[in-house]
C-alpha cells in the first residue's frame, strides 16, 4: 500500500483501519454462526493440541486465546 491519499483525504492504511475499527465490535457475533456450521469445535480442537510457544498469526479479536492450555505461551500478531 502506498501513502497516497484518496478522495476524502485519508491514506489507504487509515481507511482500512477505520473500516476494521467499525466492524471489529460486531465481528465475533457475525462469525459465530458460520463458524458453528463450518468449523464446529475447531478452535477448541486446535487449542487443546498446542504446546510450548505458539505464534498466533492474525489474532484478530482473540477468539482462539481461551482455548490454549494455561502452560502455553502465545504471541499474537
Amino acid at each position: 500500500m502506498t501513502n497516497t491519499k484518496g478522495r476524502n483525504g485519508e491514506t489507504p492504511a487509515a481507511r482500512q483501519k477505520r473500516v476494521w475499527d467499525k466492524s471489529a465490535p460486531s465481528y465475533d457475533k457475525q462469525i459465530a454462526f458460520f463458524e458453528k456450521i463450518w468449523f464446529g469445535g475447531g478452535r477448541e480442537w486446535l487449542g487443546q493440541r498446542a504446546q510450548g510457544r505458539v505464534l498466533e498469526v492474525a489474532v484478530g479479536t482473540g477468539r482462539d486465546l481461551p482455548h490454549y492450555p494455561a502452560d502455553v505461551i502465545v504471541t499474537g500478531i
Side-chain angles (χ1 to χ4, degrees), residues 17 33 51:
K17 182 179 183 324
F33 171 76
Q51 53 186 325

Side-chain angles (χ1 to χ4, degrees), residues 13-66:
R15 179 185 181 280
Q16 195 168 24
K17 182 179 183 324
R18 178 177 50 80
V19 169
W20 284 112
D21 285 348
K22 183 179 178 182
S23 65
S26 61
Y27 174 82
D28 287 348
K29 186 175 182 180
Q30 292 171 358
I31 198 67
F33 171 76
F34 296 106
E35 188 173 290
K36 185 176 181 179
I37 292 171
W38 293 336
F39 309 111
R43 290 182 193 276
E44 297 83 352
W45 182 86
L46 193 59
Q48 292 168 357
R49 285 154 179 76
Q51 53 186 325
R53 297 176 61 178
V54 172
L55 176 60
E56 175 90 21
V57 177
V59 68
T61 60
R63 290 179 56 91
D64 293 338
L65 300 179

